[in-house]
Amino acid sequence: MSNKLNQDQFARDVLSRYRRLSSASGLLEKSARSEEFAHAAAMPSTGHPHFAHLGLGESGHCYGVTVFIDLVAFTSRTFWESPESVLRLNTAVMSQVAEVVQSCGGYILGLRGDGVFACFGDNNVQNPKIPAAFSMLACSFALDAVRNALNQLLEQSGMRPVQIRAGADYGRLDFVRIGSHEASEVNVVGFSANFAAKCEKFAKSWEVVIGEGLADLLPDGHYEEHEGSPKIYQQDYKTRRYHYHQVKWSGYLAHLNRVREDLSGDPVGSIIL
């Protein structure tokens, strides 16, 4: 199957999901006990499966790539368009992006507002360049499929196009369960996760911005330093600089189909070189 066909399938799946959500919302208003609602309630939750067992206050860590992929300028869209339509479109697009992440070996850590928070890596990873590469493959496909296939289909359907961006970085990730015995969740703590979120904010529409921890794992020529780099941190009269870069992500698309087929949706930690 060609890369173009995969893009088209992504776009069709988003629109199909959008229409199903439109139909399902009416059904759920009639009966919260519907089969569709029961199926949704039984779906697996987000989070890194290697740390789901943590008890309250317990922690664990691994090294990996954290990725944020989100829709751009969606706040203004919620102002102008009906809440129901915006909600369904956001859900359809981000759900499909989450499936792309999983098919490239990533874990979905959270679905937050109009974005996907993901992790590539676990303690089974032998070479950090593997999650680095697969994270960029996922970002590249998501951006390309939205820009070149989904938006065309949305316009043909009389809907306004959407914009998307991504930020990522590599480093140590500490997972800790916080909250109470009645309500708790596993959160991710660490500089690389925090900086990945900053990179997503640094990125404009159709850009992938990464921290230097991730850039060090990618081949030379796959990125260029961002115009706003470096980020300067100061503490106790000390100054450190941390660089961030814009990825030339279109170069990853040629490799996408082969590696996704080889991985078959397994985590990147399953790859043995």
Side-chain angles (χ1 to χ4, degrees):
M1 181 179 292
S2 69
N3 201 44
K4 178 63 177 175
L5 289 176
N6 277 333
Q7 292 171 335
D8 289 342
Q9 187 63 54
F10 175 97
R12 289 193 296 268
D13 288 346
V14 169
L15 199 58
S16 176
R17 192 186 297 265
Y18 174 83
R19 290 168 176 162
R20 288 201 309 270
L21 288 167
S22 300
S23 302
S25 62
L27 293 173
L28 292 176
E29 288 173 1
K30 296 179 181 178
S31 173
R33 297 188 299 272
S34 69
E35 183 177 342
E36 185 79 17
F37 182 85
H39 172 71
M43 292 177 65
S45 60
T46 59
H48 199 303
H50 291 199
F51 303 101
H53 68 281
L54 293 174
L56 195 63
E58 293 181 341
S59 63
H61 75 274
C62 70
Y63 285 82
V65 179
T66 43
V67 175
F68 289 85
I69 305 174
D70 81 335
L71 293 165
V72 184
F74 228 64
T75 300
S76 61
R77 192 162 186 153
T78 60
F79 180 82
W80 291 107
E81 300 182 19
S82 71
E84 294 82 4
S85 176
V86 172
L87 173 65
R88 291 193 293 267
L89 182 59
N90 172 71
T91 301
V93 176
M94 289 296 99
S95 296
Q96 209 62 36
V97 169
E99 290 190 7
V100 169
V101 168
Q102 291 173 310
S103 73
C104 289
Y107 301 114
I108 303 300
L109 301 183
L111 298 166
R112 302 177 178 179
D114 54 8
V116 171
F117 176 33
C119 170
F120 290 78
D122 52 46
N123 287 319
N124 295 325
V125 172
Q126 297 183 355
N127 185 343
K129 291 184 178 181
I130 294 173
F134 277 87
S135 67
M136 292 300 94
L137 286 166
C139 291
S140 301
F141 179 81
L143 268 66
D144 191 60
V146 170
R147 184 171 66 176
N148 294 320
L150 175 60
N151 279 345
Q152 180 180 359
L153 193 58
L154 290 177
E155 290 177 343
Q156 291 173 356
S157 303
M159 301 171 65
R160 293 178 60 84
V162 296
Q163 303 172 63
I164 196 172
R165 63 183 176 185
D169 204 3
Y170 174 86
R172 172 171 167 146
L173 303 172
D174 286 271
F175 295 80
V176 58
R177 182 173 295 279
I178 64 173
S180 66
H181 291 289
E182 289 73 27
S184 68
E185 67 176 7
V186 177
N187 278 355
V188 184
V189 180
F191 174 80
S192 61
N194 293 337
F195 200 79
K198 288 187 178 296
C199 286
E200 177 259 323
K201 300 304 181 187
F202 294 147
K204 300 175 183 177
S205 300
W206 316 120
E207 289 184 352
V208 179
V209 175
I210 61 173
E212 68 176 58
L214 177 53
D216 288 344
L217 298 173
L218 300 179
D220 292 339
H222 284 215
Y223 56 87
E224 59 187 10
E225 187 157 6
H226 192 278
E227 60 183 11
S229 177
K231 175 71 173 175
I232 299 175
Y233 292 95
Q234 295 178 319
Q235 180 176 279
D236 297 332
Y237 306 104
K238 297 178 181 179
T239 299
R240 293 182 62 181
R241 291 170 171 79
Y242 194 79
H243 297 261
Y244 53 99
H245 309 267
Q246 185 175 331
V247 177
K248 301 175 182 178
W249 55 264
S250 61
Y252 284 88
L253 296 173
H255 308 286
L256 186 71
N257 283 334
R258 178 180 57 81
V259 295
R260 287 180 72 192
E261 290 173 1
D262 291 345
L263 195 59
S264 300
D266 291 331
V268 291
S270 66
I271 299 177
I272 300 176
L273 297 181

